[in-house]
C-alpha cells in the first residue's frame, strides 16, 4: 500500500531537514581542522594572534555545533520515522557505518567539551592542542561514515536478494562500495574548503568594516591558503566522481549533462536553458569534454539517456545544480589563487575593496555549492531510494500526519536559523578582537 | 548466550545511561526555571550551569546511540515503531532541538532571558512525557495492523490509565533523580543553601516516584497479564530496588553521605529498569515483535558487536577523563579555576 501524499511530504521533509543540517554539518566537519591549524601555527610561531583566532573560532563553532547536533538527531530519527520500509531493509546491510558514525560523534562531543573548558587550565598550550586532535578526527570521521551510508544508497552491494529476502550479507563489502571513495573524499574535501572560505569571508568582512587589524589579515591569508588547497583537491575528486558515474550510474551523469544520445567524442554542455520541448538554448558546448570527464579519453563513448526506460531517468533540472556547483568551485579556485599570487607579488588589487567583497561573497557561495552538490547527488538517483533495488515510494511511511510534521519542523528550523545567526553576530559584534586583545594583554602582564 | 540477548542488553544499558543523564539534564532545566520564578535563582543557577556546560552534548549522544543501535540490531523495529511513532517522536525531536540549541545560545551567546529559561524548563517536563509514550506502546494494545501496515490507535492511548501513570512516573522520576544528583553536586561545591534546597526537592519527589512505580505494576495486571506474571517471577529485583530507595531517602533525611545516596539511587533504578526489561523479554512490541523475529543477520550482528567493543575501548577512557576533569575535580566544581570564554 503506497500513500502518495505521505511519500511526497516525506521527501519534502527529508530534503528540508538535510538542506538545513548540511550547512551546520559542513562547518562542523571543517572548522575543527581550521581551529587546530590556527592553534598549531600560534604555538609554532609563538604568535598570540593565531591562538586568539583559534579561541574565537571555537566560540562561534559551539553555536553551529549545537544546531548541527539537534538537526543531526532530527535526521537520524527521521530516517526511521519517514522511511521505515527502507530502514528495515537497509538496516540489515548498512547499520555498521551508521553505528560507527555515532561513535565518532561521541568521541568528538567528549573532547570538544574538555577543550572548551580547559583553556586556562594547562600551562602548556601544546597539551591543550592535543585535545583538538580527537575533535578534528571525530568530526571528519563522522562525515566519512555517514557518507558511506549515502554511497551505499547509490551503489548498493554486499548482499544477495533471493526472492525479496536478504541473504549473504557482508557489512564490509557494503561499506566499501564503488561510490564510497569518490563520495567520501569529495564530501570531506569540500567541507574543509567551505569552512575555510566561510572563515575567510568573515575576516574579509571585518577588514572592510572599519577594522584594519593585522589579526584579520593573518586570518584571511591562512584561510585562503587552506581554501585553495582543498578546492584543488575537490576539483580532482570531482573529476574522478565523473568517471565513477560514467561507470556505475550513467543515468545520473547523462541527466546532469543533458546527454540524450549515446555517442562517441561527446561534448560537454555548460550552462544553458531547456524549454518544454527539451530544446537546449544559450548553452556553451565544449567538444570532447564529456568523454574526457567520463572516461579520460576524448573519443570514448558516453552512454546517453536513450539507454534507459522513462521511469528510471532522474529529473533533468539537475543540470542546473551541476552547473551551480562547478561554476562556484572554479570561481573559488580563481579567487583564492589570485589572492595568494597577488599577496606574494604585492599587487594592490587583492587588497582593494571590490576584491575583498568578492571574498566576502565566497563564503555564502561555497555553502550554496554544497547545497547544489547534494541536491544533484540526491535528486540524481531518483526514482530510487536504493538504486536498482527499492524505489523511493516503496520506502516511505504510510502515516497520514507527515504534512503536519513538515510544518512543525519548518518552524523549528526557522527558529534555529534565525537564533544562531543573531547569537553569532551579537557574540562577535559585542566583543571585537581589538578589545579582546587589550583584555588579554592585561592578563599576560599580570 | 546468543547474539540477540547480547544486542538487547547493550541497548538496554545505553537506554539506562540516557535515562539517568537525561533526567539530570531535564530536571536541572526545570529547577533552574522554577528558581527564576520563585526568586531563588541566585542559589541554583551557578551550580546547574557548572555541571551542564561540559556535558550537554554528551547527553544527547546517548540517545542517538540508542536509536541507531536498535535499528542496527533489530531492523524491524524501524518498520513497526517508525511508522507509528511519527507524531510523538517528532514532537520530542522538536523539543530536543529547541532545548539543545537554546542552551548553547544562552550559555555561550546572549544574555539570559526569562522566557528562554521558562521554555527550557518546560521542555524538560514535556520531553520525558513524549518519550515515555514509547514504553507504553511497547506493552501492546495500542497498535493494530490495517492493510498490512501498523497504525497507532491514539484514542486508546490517550484514554488508557497506563499511559498517564507512565507519564507521571517519568516526570517525578526525572525530578527525583535530578534533585538527588544536584544535592550531591552542590554539597561537593560546599554550597550549603543550594544543597538544602535541592535536598528538599529530592525528598518531595521521592514519594510520587515510588507510588506511581508500584501503581504501574498493579495496572499491568489488567493491561498485559502475561507481562505481570513475568514481573512477579523476578519480584526479588523489585524488592532490592525498593530497599535501595529507602536507603537513599534515609541518607537524605539524615543529611549525610550524599554521594552514597546517589549511588543507591542508581542501583534502585538499575534494578527496576533491568527487572522491567527482563520481564518484557522476549517482546520488543507486544505481541507483534520479539527480539528473535526482528534480529538482524548474523554477519551484521557480529560486526556491530565488534564495532561496539572497539568503540567502547575508545569511549570509556574518554568519558572517564571528562568526569575526572569536571565532575570529580574539586576546583572546577567549586568554581575556583579560571574560566574565560
Amino acid at each position: 500500500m503506497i500513500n502518495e501524499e505521505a511519500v511526497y511530504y516525506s521527501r519534502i521533509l527529508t530534503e528540508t531537514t538535510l538542506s538545513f543540517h548540511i550547512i551546520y554539518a559542513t562547518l562542523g566537519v571543517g572548522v575543527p581542522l581550521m581551529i587546530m591549524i590556527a592553534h598549531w601555527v600560534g604555538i609554532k610561531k609563538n604568535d598570540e594572534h593565531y591562538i586568539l583566532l583559534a579561541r574565537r573560532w571555537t566560540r562561534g563553532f559551539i553555536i553551529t555545533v549545537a544546531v548541527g547536533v539537534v538537526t543531526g538527531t532530527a535526521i537520524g530519527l527521521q530516517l526511521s520515522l519517514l522511511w521505515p520500509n527502507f530502514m528495515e531493509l537497509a538496516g540489515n546491510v548498512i547499520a555498521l557505518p551508521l553505528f560507527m558514525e555515532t561513535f565518532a560523534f561521541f568521541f568528538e562531543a567528549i573532547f570538544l567539551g574538555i577543550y572548551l573548558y580547559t583553556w586556562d587550565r594547562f600551562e602548556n598550550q601544546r597539551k591543550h592542542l592535543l585535545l583538538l586532535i580527537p575533535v578534528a578526527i571525530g568530526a571528519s570521521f563522522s562525515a566519512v561514515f555517514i557518507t558511506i551510508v549515502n554511497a551505499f544508497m547509490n551503489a548498493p552491494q554486499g548482499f544477495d536478494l533471493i526472492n525479496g529476502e536478504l541473504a549473504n550479507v557482508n557489512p564490509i563489502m557494503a561499506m566499501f562500495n564503488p561510490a564510497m571513495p569518490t563520495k567520501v573524499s569529495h564530501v570531506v574535501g569540500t567541507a574543509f574548503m567551505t569552512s575555510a572560505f566561510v572563515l575567510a569571508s568573515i575576516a574579509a568582512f571585518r577588514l572592510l568594516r572599519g577594522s584594519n587589524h593585522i589579526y584579520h589579515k593573518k586570518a584571511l591569508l591562512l584561510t585562503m591558503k587552506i581554501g585553495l588547497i582543498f578546492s584543488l583537491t575537490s576539483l580532482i575528486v570531482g573529476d574522478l566522481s565523473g568517471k565513477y558515474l560514467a561507470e556505475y550510474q550513467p543515468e545520473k551523469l547523462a541527466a546532469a549533462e543533458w546527454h540524450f544520445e549515446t555517442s562517441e567524442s561527446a561534448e560537454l554542455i555548460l550552462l544553458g536553458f531547456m524549454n518544454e520541448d527539451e530544446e537546449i538554448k544559450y548553452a556553451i558546448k565544449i567538444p570532447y569534454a564529456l568523454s574526457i570527464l567520463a572516461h579520460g579519453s576524448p573519443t570514448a563513448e558516453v552512454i546517453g539517456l536513450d539507454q534507459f526506460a522513462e521511469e528510471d531517468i532522474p529529473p533533468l533540472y539537475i543540470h542546473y545544480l551541476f552547473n551551480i556547483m562547478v561554476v562556484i568551485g572554479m570561481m573559488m579556485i580563481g579567487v583564492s589563487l589570485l589572492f595568494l599570487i597577488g599577496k606574494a607579488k604585492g599587487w594592490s588589487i587583492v587588497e582593494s575593496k571590490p576584491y575583498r567583497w568578492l571574498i566576502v561573497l565566497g563564503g555564502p557561495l561555497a555553502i550554496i555549492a554544497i547545497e547544489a552538490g547534494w541536491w544533484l547527488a540526491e535528486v540524481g538517483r531518483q526514482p530510487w531510494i536504493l538504486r536498482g533495488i527499492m524505489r523511493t515510494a516503496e520506502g516511505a511511511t504510510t502515516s497520514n500526519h507527515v504534512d503536519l510534521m513538515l510544518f512543525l519542523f519548518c518552524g523549528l528550523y526557522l527558529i534555529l536559523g534565525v537564533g544562531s545567526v543573531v547569537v553569532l553576530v551579537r557574540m562577535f559584534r559585542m566583543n571585537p578582537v581589538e578589545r579582546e586583545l587589550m583584555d588579554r594583554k592585561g592578563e599576560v602582564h599580570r | 548466550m546468543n547474539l540477540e540477548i547480547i544486542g538487547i542488553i547493550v541497548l538496554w544499558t545505553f537506554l539506562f545511561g540516557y535515562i539517568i543523564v537525561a533526567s539530570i539534564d531535564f530536571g536541572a532545566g526545570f529547577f533552574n526555571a522554577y528558581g527564576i520564578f520563585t526568586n531563588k535563582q541566585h542559589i541554583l543557577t551557578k551550580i546547574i550551569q557548572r555541571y551542564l556546560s561540559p556535558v550537554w552534548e554528551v547527553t544527547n549522544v546517548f540517545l542517538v546511540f540508542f536509536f541507531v543501535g536498535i535499528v542496527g540490531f533489530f531492523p524491524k523495529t524501524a518498520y513497526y515503531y517508525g511508522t507509528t511513532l511519527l507524531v510523538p517522536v517528532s514532537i520530542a525531536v522538536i523539543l530536543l532541538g529547541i532545548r539543545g540549541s537554546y542552551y548553547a545560545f544562552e550559555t555561550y551567546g546572549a544574555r539570559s532571558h526569562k522566557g528562554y529559561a521558562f521554555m527550557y524548563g518546560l521542555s524538560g517536563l514535556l520531553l520525558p512525557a513524549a518519550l515515555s509514550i514509547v514504553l507504553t506502546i511497547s506493552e501492546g494494545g495500542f497498535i493494530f495492523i490495517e492493510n498490512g501496515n501498523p497504525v497507532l490507535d491514539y484514542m486508546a492511548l490517550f484514554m488508557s490509565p497506563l499511559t498517564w501513570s507512565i507519564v507521571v512516573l517519568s516526570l517525578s522520576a526525572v525530578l527525583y533523580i535530578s534533585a538527588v544528583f544536584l544535592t550531591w553536586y552542590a554539597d561537593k561545591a560546599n554550597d550549603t543553601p543550594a544543597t538544602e534546597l535541592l535536598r528538599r526537592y529530592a525528598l518531595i519527589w521521592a514519594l510520587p516516584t515510588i507510588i506511581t512505580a508500584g501503581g504501574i505494576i498493579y495496572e499491568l495486571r489488567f493491561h498485559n497479564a502475561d507481562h505481570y506474571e513475568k514481573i512477579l517471577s523476578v519480584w526479588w529485583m523489585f524488592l532490592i530496588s525498593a530497599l535501595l530507595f529507602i536507603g537513599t531517602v534515609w541518607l537524605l533525611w539524615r543529611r549525610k553521605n550524599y554521594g552514597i545516596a546517589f549511588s543507591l539511587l542508581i542501583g534502585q533504578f538499575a534494578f527496576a529498569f533491568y527487572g522491567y526489561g527482563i520481564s518484557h523479554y522476549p517482546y520488543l512490541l507486544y505481541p507483534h515483535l520479539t527480539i528473535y523475529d526482528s534480529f538482524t543477520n548474523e554477519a551484521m550482528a557480529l560486526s556491530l558487536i565488534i564495532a561496539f567493543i572497539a568503540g567502547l575501548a575508545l569511549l570509556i577512557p574518554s568519558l572517564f577523563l571528562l568526569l575526572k576533569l569536571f565532575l570529580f575535580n574539586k576546583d572546577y566544581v567549586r568554581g575556583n579555576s579560571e574560566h574565560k570564554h
Side-chain angles (χ1 to χ4, degrees), chain A residues 22-34 139-140 143-144 147 183-199 226-227 230-231 233-234 366-367 370 374:
Chain A
I22 54 173
I23 298 172
Y24 295 88
T26 303
L27 295 174
V29 172
V31 173
L33 185 78
M34 309 300 141
S140 302
V144 169
T147 311
K183 259 207 188 257
V184 166
S185 44
H186 201 57
V187 166
V188 175
T190 51
F192 292 153
M193 163 188 161
T194 304
S195 306
F197 286 133
V198 167
L199 296 171
I226 302 171
F230 286 110
S231 49
T233 62
S234 305
I367 287 180
I370 292 276
W374 269 115

Side-chain angles (χ1 to χ4, degrees), chain B residues 199 203 248-258:
Chain B
R199 172 182 162 272
L203 290 172
T248 311
V249 174
W250 188 74
L251 286 175
L252 286 173
W253 188 258
R254 300 293 304 268
R255 284 197 178 77
K256 53 184 187 186
N257 295 334
Y258 292 128

Side-chain angles (χ1 to χ4, degrees), chain A residues 62 65-66 69 73 77 80-81 84-85 88 92-93 95 103 106 114 117 121 169 171 398-399 405 408 416 420 426-427, chain B residues 53 57 60-61 65 71-72 75 78-79 82-83 90 93-94 101 104 108 110 149 296-297 299-300 303 311 315 325-326 329:
Chain A
I62 288 298
V65 165
V69 168
T73 310
L77 277 162
S80 297
L81 296 173
N85 298 305
E88 187 194 346
N92 278 298
V93 195
F103 269 118
F106 214 143
I114 298 177
Y117 285 88
R121 269 214 240 170
V169 173
T398 47
S399 171
M405 295 304 116
L408 286 180
L416 294 182
S420 58
R426 197 186 288 168
M427 197 182 217
Chain B
S53 299
E57 216 190 338
N60 203 49
V61 188
F65 212 99
V71 176
Y79 174 68
T83 309
S90 291
V93 171
I94 289 169
S101 54
Y108 307 101
N149 292 314
T296 186
N297 54 83
M300 179 55 77
S303 53
L315 279 187
L325 282 171
F326 299 108
N329 183 302

Side-chain angles (χ1 to χ4, degrees), chain B residues 25-37 91-92 94-96 98-100 102 113-131 167 170-171 174-175:
Chain B
D25 183 350
F26 295 161
F30 175 77
F31 290 131
N32 189 31
Y34 183 73
I36 290 173
F37 283 88
I91 290 172
I94 289 169
L95 290 171
L96 275 175
I98 291 175
R99 205 183 146 72
Y102 271 129
H113 186 284
K114 263 195 181 187
Y116 298 163
F118 178 70
M119 270 174 75
Y120 191 71
L122 187 69
S123 65
L125 290 188
L126 294 175
L127 262 166
L131 292 174
V167 167
S170 67
L171 280 180
V174 157
L175 296 172

Side-chain angles (χ1 to χ4, degrees), chain A residues 235-404:
Chain A
L235 173 73
I236 296 166
V237 178
D239 177 64
L240 293 174
S241 306
K243 295 181 172 44
Y244 156 77
L245 286 178
E247 180 91 22
Y248 293 93
Q249 273 179 294
E251 76 279 16
K252 190 192 268 186
L253 185 69
E257 304 296 350
W258 287 345
H259 185 60
F260 294 101
E261 271 152 44
T262 306
S263 61
E264 291 173 4
S265 308
E267 56 185 18
L268 183 80
I269 296 174
L270 208 59
L271 307 178
F273 289 96
M274 186 188 281
N275 62 21
E276 284 121 37
D277 310 322
E278 299 206 339
E279 280 167 25
I280 301 165
K281 295 261 167 76
Y282 315 115
I284 304 166
K285 295 179 181 170
I286 309 169
Y288 307 113
L290 185 58
S291 287
I292 296 174
L293 176 69
H295 299 289
S297 144
T299 54
E301 186 186 76
V302 181
I303 297 173
L305 289 173
D306 56 348
Q307 301 288 315
F308 299 95
E310 185 87 25
E311 68 269 22
D312 291 344
I313 295 178
L316 291 177
Y317 71 80
I318 61 173
H319 176 74
Y320 302 114
L321 300 171
F322 178 78
N323 281 324
I324 292 171
M325 175 183 81
V326 170
V327 168
I328 292 176
M330 292 295 185
M331 187 195 122
M332 290 318 292
I333 291 177
V335 168
S336 53
L337 190 65
L338 184 65
F339 180 83
L340 293 174
I341 295 173
K343 269 280 176 192
K345 304 240 166 174
W347 295 342
S348 61
I349 178 170
V350 296
E351 303 208 351
S352 68
K353 271 197 172 182
Y355 204 81
R356 280 185 177 155
W357 276 115
L358 196 62
I359 297 173
V360 172
L361 204 62
L365 281 179
I367 287 180
I368 290 174
I370 292 276
E371 296 281 359
W374 269 115
W375 291 330
L376 161 70
E378 295 303 281
V379 178
R381 74 181 151 91
Q382 287 304 322
W384 303 103
I385 191 165
L386 266 179
R387 184 181 175 273
I389 294 172
M390 185 185 253
R391 288 191 189 265
T392 308
E394 296 164 340
T397 181
T398 47
S399 171
N400 288 322
H401 305 287
V402 189
D403 48 348
L404 180 65

Side-chain angles (χ1 to χ4, degrees), chain B residues 46-84:
Chain B
K46 248 196 264 162
I47 283 287
I48 289 172
Q49 293 268 330
R50 213 176 292 148
Y51 163 74
L52 282 183
S53 299
V55 300
W56 65 269
E57 216 190 338
V58 177
T59 306
N60 203 49
V61 188
F62 272 93
L63 176 68
V64 177
F65 212 99
F66 173 74
F67 71 69
V68 170
I70 198 159
V71 176
F73 277 108
F74 304 100
K76 275 208 175 71
T77 51
Y79 174 68
Y80 281 95
Y81 282 112
T83 309
T84 47

Side-chain angles (χ1 to χ4, degrees), chain A residues 113-131:
Chain A
I114 298 177
Y115 178 75
L116 262 178
Y117 285 88
T118 53
W119 271 109
D120 299 303
R121 269 214 240 170
F122 293 105
E123 287 286 320
N124 186 348
Q125 278 294 311
R126 277 172 204 278
K127 274 192 197 163
H128 196 224
L129 174 67
L130 287 181
L131 292 170

